[in-house]
Amino acid sequence: MPPFDPERLLANQAWLARLATRLARDTGEAEDLLQETWLTALRGDAPAVRDPRAWLGTILRNAA
């Protein structure tokens, strides 16, 4: 498994924003979900993940 790399996570920003928009009731909620997702993902010791998109999507869905 590759080591933790924030750049790999950030490469999924546009996809994550689209997912947040689909899950949210409004734009403000989508922005809040994105912020909570990034805070959770980057807080503390993030694990090395095989598929950053799946991991970020799980965090976002849990926040929603």
Side-chain angles (χ1 to χ4, degrees):
M1 194 171 316
F4 174 72
D5 179 7
E7 293 297 322
R8 286 184 68 218
L9 296 182
L10 291 173
N12 293 287
Q13 170 63 22
W15 174 83
L16 198 62
R18 287 190 304 271
L19 179 59
T21 299
R22 286 193 301 262
L23 293 175
R25 294 181 195 106
D26 58 44
T27 304
E29 185 181 2
E31 291 173 5
D32 290 344
L33 288 173
L34 276 173
Q35 182 176 11
E36 183 61 32
T37 299
W38 287 118
L39 286 173
T40 299
L42 298 175
R43 185 179 297 136
D45 293 328
V49 293
R50 189 175 313 266
D51 184 356
R53 186 174 280 196
W55 185 63
L56 289 168
T58 298
I59 294 171
L60 179 65
R61 286 180 191 93
N62 287 339

